[in-house]
Amino acid sequence: MIRRGTVGAAVLLLLCACASPSSPASSAPPTATATAQQSTTTTTTTAAPKPYTFAISCGGKKYADYKAAWPDNPEMCSADESGGTAISPEQQAAMKAAGYVDGGRASVKSLGTLYSLCAETGGYYATPGNSLSGEQAAEASGMLMICPDFPQTSVVKANMKAGATEEAERAAGTRFSDGSYRVGAEVKPGTYAIEKASQGCYWERIDNKGNVIDNNFVAASTRVEVTIKSTDYTFRAEGCGEWVKS
């Protein structure tokens, strides 16, 4: 005989076992929110360096640049830096042609020299008949690179050419100044003259024993001439100037 309490408990247990367990509430996965970060790029523009510029002073008068001085035909000028921050490639090439050494403030000062020469339309380089030495010709070449429209360009180039011719004659022994020279080795035999006025010119031709073959003292003259023979050993001159073979 089964007791009612026992049967009721069993039924209760059976009902509990059959009942579906309650499922826990499913939680939605977190939604990842992407935050777009906008990057801002700042571009810095650096100004290109400007070539140096120079103001000009000639005889106490000041000019904004070398061209402004041309109408006054100055003979000697100076240049002062007036603007710019760097030596341009063109300016550097001009200094190289002039034989200037590059580097630092010295280069800027040397560059100013070329600008001052560009102002000197009445200067030595721009005066007809002034033959230029090798160093002077190099400087003049650099100057003309700075101011190719220089009014006396043709004169400067003629003086450069004359200087080159004279240098070649000196190297060949057919042009020489005061001094003592070994005939054949240092000066060539021939007739030589000094075309410019001279005062107190003395010359002598000497043999290989030191004896004077011929000599002359010219107190004042507009032209002095001498013939050096191949048999002469030495020729010596004082106070005469530059001899040129005829």
Side-chain angles (χ1 to χ4, degrees), residues 12-126:
L12 181 62
L13 290 172
L14 181 60
L15 291 173
C16 291
C18 293
S20 297
S22 58
S23 300
S26 60
S27 55
T31 302
T33 302
T35 303
Q37 295 181 347
Q38 182 177 1
S39 61
T40 302
T41 303
T42 303
T43 302
T44 303
T45 303
T46 304
K50 295 182 179 180
Y52 285 112
T53 58
F54 296 86
I56 303 297
S57 298
C58 309
K61 189 173 181 179
K62 296 184 179 298
Y63 305 90
D65 55 35
Y66 62 79
K67 287 187 178 182
W70 288 350
D72 292 336
N73 202 36
E75 295 182 8
M76 186 170 294
C77 302
S78 61
D80 296 307
E81 184 184 332
S82 60
T85 57
I87 296 174
S88 70
E90 293 78 12
Q91 290 172 330
Q92 191 163 1
M95 288 194 297
K96 184 177 180 181
Y100 294 163
V101 178
D102 294 341
R105 302 301 301 175
S107 288
V108 179
K109 185 176 181 180
S110 297
L111 180 60
T113 299
L114 294 182
Y115 277 78
S116 67
L117 289 173
C118 281
E120 297 173 4
T121 51
Y124 183 84
Y125 291 179

Side-chain angles (χ1 to χ4, degrees), residues 201-242:
C201 171
Y202 174 78
W203 60 261
E204 61 183 15
R205 296 164 46 220
I206 304 171
D207 64 17
N208 59 0
K209 295 181 179 180
N211 299 318
V212 175
I213 302 171
D214 192 12
N215 65 352
N216 193 15
F217 177 79
V218 182
S221 176
T222 57
R223 189 176 191 276
V224 181
E225 184 177 288
V226 64
T227 297
I228 302 174
K229 296 184 178 181
S230 59
T231 52
D232 296 347
Y233 188 80
T234 303
F235 178 80
R236 187 170 71 89
E238 294 180 3
C240 299
E242 192 165 50

